[in-house]
């Protein structure tokens, strides 16, 4: 069974640390990105998430939101945890990032 709790690193060098899931499947943690479209100092940012059907699925789906501390944007990630035959856990995720824009007219360029 896949366990989301712990330290995770991606192929670009970003990393996150996730707390243990509570009884409802929610968790908290921190995310430190290695890539950003800003000149500001990159800061560790808080995240909150949930795992679907905690404790009952071998390769569960999950989602979390990162509240960036160094920009006017927020990101959401959804994914699934996979366990290979050797027991290695891998997270496969997709993300969306929404930046603040000055007006509704600019909304079309606010999401990556």
């Amino acid at each position: 069974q896949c366990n989301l709790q712990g330290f995770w690193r991606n192929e670009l060098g970003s990393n996150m640390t996730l707390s243990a899931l509570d009884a409802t499947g929610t968790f908290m943690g921190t995310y430190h990105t290695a890539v950003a479209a800003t000149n500001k100092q990159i800061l560790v940012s808080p995240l909150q998430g949930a795992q679907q059907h905690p404790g009952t699925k071998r390769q569960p789906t999950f989602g979390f939101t990162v509240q960036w501390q160094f920009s006017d944007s927020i990101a959401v990630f959804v994914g699934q945890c996979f366990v290979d035959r050797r027991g290695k856990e891998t997270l496969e995720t997709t993300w969306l990032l929404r930046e603040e824009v000055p007006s509704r007219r600019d909304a079309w360029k606010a999401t990556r």
Side-chain angles (χ1 to χ4, degrees):
Q1 174 148 344
C2 194
N3 181 0
L4 295 180
Q5 180 181 6
F7 180 80
W8 297 90
R9 180 182 310 276
N10 72 13
E11 64 278 3
L12 299 175
S14 298
N15 64 73
M16 68 179 178
T17 302
L18 302 180
S19 67
L21 279 75
D22 68 15
T24 64
T26 61
F27 57 88
M28 296 176 64
T30 58
Y31 197 101
H32 188 227
T33 186
V35 291
T38 182
N39 294 329
K40 295 180 182 177
Q41 178 184 0
I42 295 173
L43 302 172
V44 174
S45 298
L47 67 80
Q48 294 182 351
Q51 177 182 307
Q52 188 66 353
H53 306 297
T56 62
K57 300 291 183 181
R58 178 165 148 62
Q59 301 187 126
T61 57
F62 61 89
F64 60 89
T65 301
V66 179
Q67 182 183 9
W68 302 117
Q69 299 298 293
F70 57 89
S71 71
D72 295 325
S73 63
I74 197 159
V76 293
F77 291 74
V78 293
Q80 185 171 356
C81 186
F82 292 97
V83 182
D84 69 15
R85 292 180 189 159
R86 296 182 200 144
K88 181 183 178 191
E89 299 168 325
T90 302
L91 304 182
E92 291 288 338
T93 62
T94 300
W95 58 269
L96 288 171
L97 181 136
R98 178 69 183 220
E99 295 178 287
E100 181 181 353
V101 290
S103 71
R104 189 171 175 204
R105 284 179 312 194
D106 298 317
W108 65 272
K109 63 181 178 181
T111 304
R112 292 188 215 171

